[in-house]
Each structure stands twice: as C-alpha cells, then as structure tokens.
Amino acid sequence: MRTAVENPFVPGSDTIPEVWAGRTSQVSDFESVVRPRRMAGLSERGRTILGEPGLGKSTLVRRLAERARRHHDDWTTAQLRMPLGADPLQIVATALLGLAADAGLAAATEKRLRTLIDRVKAVSVAGWGLTLEPDAGPQPFVALTDLLIEIGLAAHEQGRLVMVHVDEVQNITDQAALSQLLVCLGDALTFEHTVVVPGGAQIDRVLPIVVYLTGLPDFDDMAGARKGATFTRRFKTITLAPISDDDFKLALAPFLDPGWPVEVDGLPAAVRMTQEARDAIVACCCGEPFLFQLAGQEAWYASPGSPLITLEDVQQGWREATPEAVTHVERILGRLPEREHQLIQAMSALDPQERTASAIAAHMGFDSATQIGPFASRLDTMRGIINRGKPYSFRHRAIEAYLTTDWPHI
C-alpha cells in the first residue's frame, strides 16, 4: 500500500513536496503584497530569500512560481541554479529567450526586437565576456535588461506577471558578473512606462515583473559593497528560520484524519498515522523542512504493506535516516568561520539560562562581551542560527540538539 510511487514526502530542493509545512508568511507576502502591487503598477522590491541549507529556500520559491502559473497563468522562469564558475548572464539570457517566446516576441518582425533578441541569443552563447566585442551591440547586461523590459510590457498588455528566480546566488563569485546581473534585474524592476488611463490622463507604472534571489547567507556578505544602497532599494532580504512544531503538525493533520489518499489496485484507499508517530516525526526534524521530509519518507517506507504509520515505523525509518541527518547538520557547522563556530560551541557548553554574552565571551577566552559582538551579530541577523537575547538562545534547533543532546539518536 505504501509504495514509492505513492510516497508524498520528498527531501531535497528539486521537487515541491505534497506534504507542505509552514512558510505561510512568505506565501502570503507574494499573494497579498508582491504580486498585487506589481500588477497594479506600483513599486515593490524583489525578494532575496537566504538561509542555511535545509530550510527550503528554493522549494519555497518554486512553490510560489507554481502557484503563479497554475492560478494566474503567469510567465515564470525555471529555477535558474547558478553553479560555481558558471556565467550568470548566459543562464539568465537563455531563460529570458524562453519568456520572450511565451510572450510572442520571438516571432516579432519589428527590426528593433529582432536585433535585441539576436543580441541576447549571442549573450546566451558567450555570456558577459561578449563585452570584448564592442561593435556587436549593447553591453550584455543592457541587452538582457532591455529584453526583460519588453517581456514586462507584453505581460502588462496580457494581464500577467513575469517571475524570475535565480538560485544559489552565493555561487556567483565573479564580482563583475554579479554586479552586471544585479544591475540588469534591478533596472528592470524599477523601469517605469507611461500608460493612458480612462479620461485621457497619463500615469507612470512599473512593470509586472518580480525577481526572487535564493541562496546561502554568505551572499549577504560576499555581495558586500557591490550591493550597497541601490541593491537595498531594489531587493528586500528575508532570512528563513526553522518551522514551528505546530506548522509541522498541521501539515501532518490529513494523515490522522481522514488519511492520506492513495490507490490500491486502482481503488481509492488511505494511509493514516498515529498521533505518536506524528509527534515523533516532528521531534526528529527540529524545525528543519529537509529533515521533516526525510523523516516522513523513511517512516513511509518502514512497513510498506500497512495502511497505518506507527511510532515504530518512525523510529525504524529514522534509524535509516540518521547518517544523512548528521551529515546535514555537520555540513552547516563546517561552513562556519572559526570564530562563529567557536561561539556556537561555547553556547552549547553552557546551560541555557547561563548563555549570556559575558559568559560566552569568557568561555571563548575573551575579556569582554563586546569582543564577540561581530560574530554573534552575524550568527543572528545574517545566518539566523542564534538569537542574541538575554540570555542567548539557539534559533537553529537541529544544531542545538546535535551539540547538546543525543539527537539524532532517539
């Protein structure tokens, strides 16, 4: 009954899981703020969604794009993942050519549009290095901006939104390429065109274009001065936090009643879950969407012939998932700079009520709490791993559990 084909849990960022948990504020932000404002011609910044691995950044924006396509027939790019060393302008150019085809621009006979599309096709082949050929046309990023604007104008005429999703932005390590990409996308977001409204009055509107950038917190640092005030005016940065236990329980509620729908020999059936099994899955994942999907997937596979997921199924499945869960947390810790890692270790060595700035500083060998300020600030505001309250606390519950308890062993 619980076959691999029917399994609704999917760890990883390449597929939108059927069992969706949390992120209601980010979904609402798109549905109630970003899309309505851009469709109304009002200025609204793009979104930069950052966070540590496993928090579901890419999956979140993929879900937003799916909703935009399914409910509004909007034009969206695929998840434009940026590999290390790749030319971002090439990748974006290829995606924009696809959007241009959706908008009907690829079949345009107007010479200006044909020239622009040909230039972007050249960028999709040669990337930003095309700047070495000054006689070939405008700068690559300018050509991409112009084509994105044309796509936005076509979207306005057809009552659609254009959504661009650039993923793994921290991998764009070439300063010139990153600067050109940010300018290209930002200029398209702020471009205004004049429309005539009933009565003959003319008003300026921004285009129905939205850009989502997703990646690790390192992007906030590495973009540095190249972002500056201009980037801040054009993009709003959101750092994802772990999901609450209540949100995970809500996501699993259909398994308790009426049961998750499946088919057996072509007939409708249902897989249910005990309350103890639900609570065990929630406890295992410590607020991490990746670990939630991993725990659910392995529990599903534990007793494939049974219509009921039990506590024993969760325990058996989690034993299979333990090595991957450990690797997941250790990978996050391994990415931290030395001082930030030392601060995390110092916090974990103290009792929760004793995690004051002074005590942490003393444990690290510093004379004053102010000396740990920069490390603590980055772990709080940039990485979202701790809260600098009184006392300090862990926001990333999987890291805390790994360092201070027997987790992931249950």
Side-chain angles (χ1 to χ4, degrees):
M1 172 175 274
R2 281 146 54 184
T3 66
V5 174
E6 299 276 12
N7 195 333
F9 296 96
V10 184
S13 62
D14 292 332
T15 305
I16 302 170
E18 295 182 64
V19 186
W20 182 264
R23 304 301 181 219
T24 53
S25 62
Q26 288 79 27
V27 173
S28 177
D29 176 56
F30 174 75
E31 293 283 5
S32 303
V33 179
V34 176
R35 190 179 189 281
R37 286 186 60 84
R38 298 300 301 195
M39 292 300 294
L42 300 174
S43 178
E44 183 61 38
R45 290 178 292 175
R47 297 295 192 261
T48 304
I49 311 291
L50 304 179
E52 295 297 331
L55 288 176
K57 306 172 293 296
S58 304
T59 304
L60 167 63
V61 180
R62 285 172 64 90
R63 181 175 172 87
L64 298 181
E66 180 191 56
R67 292 170 66 95
R69 290 191 301 270
R70 179 177 298 177
H71 299 304
H72 307 292
D73 200 23
D74 291 335
W75 298 332
T76 68
T77 68
Q79 176 184 348
L80 305 180
R81 187 180 287 108
M82 298 291 159
L84 274 171
D87 188 323
L89 296 193
Q90 280 184 297
I91 296 172
V92 173
T94 301
L96 293 188
L97 290 171
L99 291 179
D102 293 339
L105 300 181
T109 57
E110 185 181 347
K111 182 179 179 181
R112 177 184 61 84
L113 278 177
R114 293 305 316 162
T115 301
L116 176 59
I117 290 175
D118 287 343
R119 178 62 171 172
V120 174
K121 286 180 178 178
V123 176
S124 72
V125 175
W128 72 278
L130 205 63
T131 54
L132 300 177
E133 304 175 21
D135 296 333
Q139 291 269 357
F141 78 93
V142 174
L144 298 190
T145 303
D146 291 345
L147 182 56
L148 184 52
I149 288 171
E150 293 292 342
I151 294 168
L153 291 169
H156 166 69
E157 292 295 326
Q158 299 185 39
R160 290 182 166 94
L161 179 78
V162 178
M163 184 174 179
V164 178
H165 175 201
V166 181
D167 191 26
E168 304 287 1
V169 288
Q170 78 283 347
N171 286 339
I172 309 174
T173 55
D174 186 286
Q175 297 184 14
L178 176 61
S179 177
Q180 290 189 32
L181 177 65
L182 295 180
V183 169
C184 161
L185 299 175
D187 284 354
L189 284 174
T190 56
F191 179 84
E192 293 184 342
H193 66 120
T194 302
V195 298
V196 179
V197 297
Q202 294 185 337
I203 60 172
D204 292 331
R205 296 172 51 108
V206 298
L207 295 171
I209 297 173
V210 62
V211 177
Y212 276 83
L213 309 176
T214 53
L216 298 176
D218 308 71
F219 175 74
D220 205 42
D221 244 11
M222 69 160 254
R226 297 188 296 284
K227 296 192 319 180
T230 300
F231 181 86
T232 303
R233 288 195 299 269
R234 295 176 172 185
F235 288 88
K236 176 182 178 180
T237 297
I238 299 169
T239 301
L240 293 187
I243 292 175
S244 72
D245 288 352
D246 284 344
D247 281 339
F248 282 133
K249 290 179 180 180
L250 181 62
L252 294 174
F255 286 90
L256 274 66
D257 185 29
W260 191 265
V262 296
E263 283 190 6
V264 178
D265 298 328
L267 298 176
V271 172
R272 303 191 65 181
M273 179 183 294
T274 67
Q275 185 169 308
E276 292 79 13
R278 178 203 65 184
D279 293 345
I281 289 176
V282 173
C284 287
C285 68
C286 295
E288 296 282 286
F290 169 74
L291 297 178
F292 172 71
Q293 296 294 331
L294 184 63
Q297 180 189 68
E298 296 302 327
W300 180 280
Y301 289 143
S303 299
S306 172
L308 182 67
I309 299 175
T310 65
L311 173 60
E312 290 73 22
D313 290 335
V314 176
Q315 293 172 333
Q316 177 183 332
W318 188 245
R319 282 193 291 272
E320 296 293 327
T322 292
E324 193 168 358
V326 170
T327 299
H328 168 70
V329 175
E330 288 181 342
R331 185 180 298 118
I332 297 172
L333 290 172
R335 292 181 51 256
L336 297 178
E338 182 180 1
R339 287 299 192 189
E340 293 177 36
H341 192 276
Q342 289 176 355
L343 192 149
I344 292 293
Q345 294 287 351
M347 280 185 62
S348 67
L350 297 168
D351 290 335
Q353 66 273 13
E354 297 176 354
R355 292 171 182 164
T356 64
S358 298
I360 295 169
H363 199 279
M364 294 177 65
F366 290 110
D367 298 326
S368 168
T370 59
Q371 292 175 281
I372 69 168
F375 323 129
S377 176
R378 287 167 54 84
L379 286 167
D380 182 357
T381 59
M382 190 186 91
R383 300 191 185 279
I385 291 179
I386 68 170
N387 282 311
R388 289 177 295 164
K390 294 183 179 180
Y392 281 25
S393 61
F394 281 95
R395 189 182 306 169
H396 199 293
R397 291 186 285 134
I399 289 179
E400 179 180 26
Y402 177 69
L403 295 175
T404 62
T405 71
D406 290 334
W407 186 95
H409 305 288
I410 60 173

